[in-house]
Amino acid sequence: MATADLRRGYILGLSAYVIWGLFPLYFKAIQAVPPVEIIVHRALWSAVFGALLLLVWKHPGWLRELLAHPRRFAVLAISGSLIAGNWLVYVWAVNNGRMLEASLGYYINPLVNVLLGMLILGERLRRLQWIAVGLAATGVAQQLWQVGSLPWVSLALALSFATYGLIRKKAPVAALPGLVVETWLLLPLAIGWILLHPTAVSSQAAFWTTSEALWLMAAGPVTLIPLVCFNAAARHLPYTTLGFLQYVAPTLVLLLAVFVFDEHFDPGKLVAFLFIWAGLAVYSIDAWLTLRKP
């Protein structure tokens, strides 16, 4: 692979994960808007921006192929519902002082991917993968013992995003058209919600004269631009390299939580994170060793 392609891939991949890692700053800017309302507008403006993007970034024949296989609409409706639920939990966590749990969820995510591969796809786990999953499970169990309840934010984010990825992996639809169709399928629900909530923050005329209205409209580009960067990076980088870069986003969320938004990083949470980080280290070693094999 050419050095220029690798450099471009790293820049695009890091751009995607840095944007995702800085999402809390964006959601804090519109925290006066309730989480459900943010998700409604995220679906609305993503659909609009995605349609414009498809006019520029051509995907010849994608709509004809999709119409020829109508069952794929049902698959995209399910995946769209999953990602909308993931967005909702994430926004709620950020705006309710639970960013550390959100960060933990995305650290767990690659290990949940491995587990779902075994349970759903019938993949056999290698020894190091079993150890990685076991360490992650120990971290979750430690939180259960320490707090007395499951870290539901972390688990909801990890499970919903991993299941979303699994469904999209099995659905033969290109990334950008697939995401745009997901948002289009959510449009009736989004518009219906707006019509049924005339007292909502964004339903007031005065709201659209504020800076928060522009932030809300920016939900479309904020959602789709990192995805475009990610998919472009995937064409220039080995998939394993992208797997390592994915740790950038939850690390940035963790740093923002502790050093910018003053969330308390108590010893119990630290122990859970240490187990998860150990699991990720073992997972990364396994991926590196596998990559080195002929």
Side-chain angles (χ1 to χ4, degrees):
M1 186 175 291
T3 303
D5 285 343
L6 279 173
R7 186 182 300 114
R8 189 180 301 115
Y10 276 113
I11 292 171
L12 289 166
L14 280 172
S15 298
Y17 284 114
V18 167
I19 293 171
W20 282 327
L22 296 178
F23 263 10
L25 297 176
Y26 169 74
F27 291 125
K28 288 288 187 181
I30 50 174
Q31 64 181 339
V33 182
V36 173
E37 198 167 342
I38 291 174
I39 300 311
V40 164
H41 281 274
R42 192 170 181 178
L44 178 64
W45 296 111
S46 292
V48 173
F49 185 73
L52 295 174
L53 205 56
L54 278 176
L55 292 176
V56 177
W57 195 17
K58 303 293 184 183
H59 285 73
W62 71 268
L63 183 57
R64 183 172 59 253
E65 185 179 352
L66 194 58
L67 291 173
H69 301 86
R71 287 187 179 181
R72 293 180 189 175
F73 282 104
V75 174
L76 291 174
I78 295 170
S79 61
S81 300
L82 278 169
I83 201 63
N86 181 274
W87 290 346
L88 180 59
V89 173
Y90 185 77
V91 174
W92 181 89
V94 168
N95 288 341
N96 284 273
R98 309 283 282 273
M99 284 170 57
L100 285 172
E101 289 183 51
S103 171
L104 183 65
Y106 287 114
Y107 277 125
I108 294 173
N109 182 71
L111 302 176
V112 174
N113 287 339
V114 171
L115 196 59
L116 286 181
M118 179 190 72
L119 297 175
I120 307 298
L121 302 179
E123 297 175 357
R124 296 183 63 183
L125 298 192
R126 296 180 289 273
R127 183 178 302 172
L128 288 179
Q129 288 180 321
W130 274 115
I131 295 173
V133 171
L135 286 167
T138 303
V140 172
Q142 188 276 338
Q143 280 287 280
L144 175 60
W145 176 77
Q146 180 81 19
V147 182
S149 61
L150 280 172
W152 69 268
V153 169
S154 305
L155 293 177
L157 289 173
L159 288 169
S160 60
F161 198 73
T163 307
Y164 170 79
L166 181 65
I167 290 174
R168 287 302 306 272
K169 177 182 174 68
K170 302 299 288 183
V173 182
L176 179 61
L179 182 70
V180 173
V181 172
E182 285 173 354
T183 57
W184 287 350
L185 292 173
L186 290 172
L187 262 182
L189 294 176
I191 295 171
W193 189 95
I194 291 171
L195 293 175
L196 291 172
H197 293 81
T199 60
V201 174
S202 60
S203 295
Q204 311 309 308
F207 173 79
W208 295 99
T209 63
T210 66
S211 61
E212 286 181 332
L214 294 176
W215 281 110
L216 202 58
M217 292 173 66
V222 165
T223 297
L224 293 180
I225 286 174
L227 179 77
V228 173
C229 290
F230 174 81
N231 282 285
R235 293 199 299 269
H236 299 293
L237 288 177
Y239 193 71
T240 305
T241 303
L242 275 180
F244 290 126
L245 288 179
Q246 73 181 330
Y247 304 145
V248 170
T251 301
L252 285 174
V253 174
L254 173 65
L255 294 174
L256 285 173
V258 176
F259 295 108
V260 177
F261 298 110
D262 297 320
E263 285 195 24
H264 182 50
F265 199 19
D266 59 67
K269 286 179 181 168
L270 177 59
V271 170
F273 270 88
L274 287 173
F275 274 109
I276 301 300
W277 287 333
L280 287 175
V282 173
Y283 166 82
S284 300
I285 291 169
D286 175 79
W288 179 69
L289 291 174
T290 303
L291 185 65
R292 290 189 64 193
K293 290 180 180 179

